[in-house]
Amino acid sequence: MSKESKAYKNLPKKVYIRTFGCQMNEHDSARLKDLLVERGHVICDSPEFADTVIFNTCSVRKHAEDRVYGKVGTLAKLKLKKPGLMIGIIGCMAEAQRDVIFRKLPIVDFLCGPADLDKVPDIIDKVHDGAGHIMYLGGYKSKIIPEFSKDRRDRGRAYVKIMEGCDNFCSYCIVPYVRGRERSRPSKDILEEIRKLVKSGVKEITLLGQNVNSYGKGLKEKINFVGLLIKIDNLAHLSGEPAGSPDRWACGVKINFLTSHPKDASQELFRAMRDLKSISKDLHLPIQSGSDKMLKRMNRRYTVAKYKKLVKSFRGIVKNGSVTSDVIVGFPGEVEIDFNDTVNVIKELRFNSAYIFKYSPRPLTKASKFKDDVSLQEKERRHKVLLNIQKEISSNKR
Ligand code: 5AD
Ligand code: SF4
């Protein structure tokens, strides 16, 4: 190592992190910031002041990747002014675009996949030592979720990862290919993390997983998602109240969770949401389409009738609960009849809110082999129609 790089290594380095995408990415960025601070870095809020700029990225839709390509491109001028500026792309897009990023954006110094983020501080050191382009990818193949950042700095609200990856292979979705197969964290690690967060003053915790309802699969202990919720709810001593007391969590801690798959959501879960005091009564249950033909092509493994029955049952059991959803318009083969079926379901089920997405073909997925036969114009029309319907329903629900 040269004298200069040794001297540089001892200086605090300023890191700017920009996050795109879902709550899982928000959570990963927050933990990475804590880890970098533990290693002596300083977090700054603008690329201009930074020594290292990191983009934590999303690949769920092409638009999200295009934005990152655009944003990184705008840093070329800054890198000319500051040749030592280091640029990293981390998260799902680093995996999905691994073969093209360095070619498209030679100013990028390193790539790191979502399951390798604990390596980022070492990668930064290596690049400073002149290692050239670095890639840390493929960590999602491991069965373990790496626990990095021991010292969490959450205030008020926090995310806790309970599982990661997905085995569902919905035909449009890139997640199983960039975040890997499902793996759950042992419940004792989750409970310990929650205990610490609550002790440090956190009042609202969101349990994260691509498919929380299949929590527990592959673990040595015999536990399912409802079992985990019961254990969390029973951390009664945190509020100073004995277990079983109606006032437990009197300290006001609320536990949310995301995301549930309709094929795995059960009445057992709904009863737990009704009975466990700390557990939120908000259910995010993506329907994706109101047409059985589309659901089959999407490989969702439920029918519209089953979905409706599920929502009815939830509303019957959890009296003051809310249901929110995701919908994709313009999936390959979606003709007017299919779209109308979706419109009708949205009108009938009256979700509290719903995210409406235009289908975006993703590499590696099964649907990328289908003909993307709904024009962009038509996708935009369908998107607007549904947005307007849902907007009215949501505002009447308030
Ligand atoms: N195109 C459009 N929307 C997608 N989603 C996932 N993959 C795609 C895609 N290829 C949506 C789904 C999912 C949400 C997180 O993103 O609705 O529930
Ligand atoms: Fe993607 Fe489907 Fe898994 Fe959700 S359940 S992450 S949409 S493959």
Side-chain angles (χ1 to χ4, degrees):
M1 190 189 303
S2 71
K3 249 188 186 171
E4 290 76 22
S5 65
K6 248 187 196 159
Y8 185 87
K9 238 181 147 172
N10 294 331
L11 289 176
K13 280 153 271 176
K14 294 193 212 86
V15 184
Y16 169 78
I17 302 182
R18 170 89 192 261
T19 309
F20 296 82
C22 63
Q23 287 89 350
M24 195 73 103
N25 272 10
E26 293 288 344
H27 176 52
D28 283 341
S29 289
R31 289 195 304 160
L32 179 57
K33 281 181 189 172
D34 290 346
L35 184 64
L36 289 167
V37 169
E38 273 167 37
R39 292 281 206 102
H41 295 265
V42 175
I43 305 300
C44 67
D45 56 11
S46 160
E48 271 90 73
F49 306 123
D51 300 297
T52 304
V53 176
I54 298 177
F55 291 88
N56 191 5
T57 58
C58 170
S59 269
V60 165
R61 282 167 289 279
K62 182 170 177 293
H63 174 68
E65 292 183 348
D66 290 344
R67 278 180 68 206
V68 173
Y69 276 121
K71 293 273 175 223
V72 178
T74 63
L75 293 182
K77 269 194 196 151
L78 189 65
K79 190 142 176 163
L80 273 181
K81 268 201 280 178
K82 278 170 74 168
L85 178 71
M86 194 191 301
I87 300 173
I89 295 187
I90 64 170
C92 296
M93 185 180 158
E95 291 286 354
Q97 298 277 306
R98 52 163 71 198
D99 297 330
V100 285
I101 294 184
F102 286 138
R103 194 159 26 88
K104 280 195 181 173
L105 294 167
I107 60 167
V108 171
D109 296 284
F110 68 85
L111 304 182
C112 183
D116 291 289
L117 299 188
D118 53 324
K119 320 271 184 349
V120 169
D122 290 340
I123 297 177
I124 293 178
D125 286 348
K126 281 186 188 154
V127 176
H128 271 304
D129 290 348
H133 283 167
I134 293 189
M135 289 204 260
Y136 261 97
L137 301 165
Y140 62 77
K141 289 178 191 138
S142 145
K143 292 207 161 50
I144 298 157
I145 302 177
E147 201 28 65
F148 58 98
S149 159
K150 288 169 202 75
D151 181 15
R152 299 267 301 266
R153 288 171 181 76
D154 302 278
R155 290 284 168 269
R157 284 177 182 195
Y159 293 116
V160 170
K161 207 179 270 190
I162 64 164
M163 49 98 63
E164 187 161 10
C166 186
D167 290 348
N168 287 327
F169 291 92
C170 300
S171 64
Y172 50 80
C173 186
I174 197 169
V175 166
Y177 306 95
V178 291
R179 288 213 179 247
R181 297 301 92 77
E182 271 177 30
R183 54 235 185 257
S184 296
R185 286 177 69 200
S187 67
K188 76 170 185 6
D189 294 358
I190 296 168
L191 293 171
E192 194 45 40
E193 188 175 345
I194 293 180
R195 199 190 309 271
K196 278 192 195 154
L197 287 168
V198 174
K199 272 200 173 144
S200 75
V202 167
K203 295 287 184 213
E204 187 166 348
I205 290 171
T206 301
L207 309 176
L208 290 180
Q210 264 78 30
N211 188 15
V212 289
N213 301 120
S214 58
Y215 172 79
K217 228 167 80 181
L219 283 178
K220 278 196 198 109
E221 60 183 309
K222 244 189 133 15
I223 186 166
N224 66 7
F225 182 53
V226 171
L228 178 71
L229 291 180
I230 292 170
K231 282 190 177 198
I232 293 172
D233 193 68
N234 270 331
L235 285 174
H237 60 279
L238 288 173
S239 64
E241 297 293 329
S245 153
D247 287 333
R248 66 192 192 278
W249 300 97
C251 56
V253 177
K254 182 179 172 197
I255 307 288
N256 310 306
F257 56 89
L258 285 170
T259 290
S260 297
H261 193 297
K263 81 173 170 42
D264 300 316
S266 62
Q267 296 212 344
E268 187 197 10
L269 171 68
F270 305 157
R271 282 192 292 269
M273 292 171 79
R274 176 192 63 197
D275 297 338
L276 303 175
K277 286 268 178 302
S278 64
I279 308 297
S280 157
K281 299 190 188 323
D282 304 332
L283 181 70
H284 186 60
L285 196 67
I287 183 169
Q288 311 297 6
S289 172
S291 149
D292 280 339
K293 187 179 106 200
M294 290 297 107
L295 289 177
K296 197 151 199 259
R297 276 169 79 81
M298 289 175 168
N299 192 30
R300 290 292 287 176
R301 289 177 272 180
Y302 54 84
T303 59
V304 177
K306 185 183 166 206
Y307 184 93
K308 283 188 195 169
K309 214 169 138 192
L310 208 56
V311 171
K312 222 169 154 189
S313 145
F314 172 79
R315 287 180 170 151
I317 295 171
V318 189
K319 292 287 185 240
N320 45 353
S322 81
V323 188
T324 56
S325 201
D326 292 345
V327 179
I328 297 177
V329 295
F331 188 74
E334 186 189 72
V335 292
E336 202 56 28
I337 298 174
D338 303 306
F339 176 63
N340 284 338
D341 284 347
T342 302
V343 168
N344 291 335
V345 172
I346 295 280
K347 285 183 177 165
E348 184 184 333
L349 291 180
R350 300 182 61 78
F351 298 119
N352 291 69
S353 73
Y355 294 100
I356 320 289
F357 301 108
K358 286 169 266 179
Y359 170 67
S360 164
R362 301 286 55 220
L364 308 170
T365 61
K366 189 163 173 220
S368 66
K369 297 188 187 78
F370 302 162
K371 189 161 180 263
D372 185 18
D373 57 0
V374 181
S375 70
L376 181 60
Q377 217 180 5
E378 184 56 17
K379 282 179 190 164
E380 275 164 0
R381 186 190 73 80
R382 293 178 192 177
H383 184 248
K384 209 161 152 190
V385 169
L386 278 190
L387 269 186
N388 286 336
I389 295 171
Q390 184 57 46
K391 210 164 136 192
E392 194 167 330
I393 296 171
S394 298
S395 60
N396 284 333
K397 285 247 172 193
R398 258 177 236 131

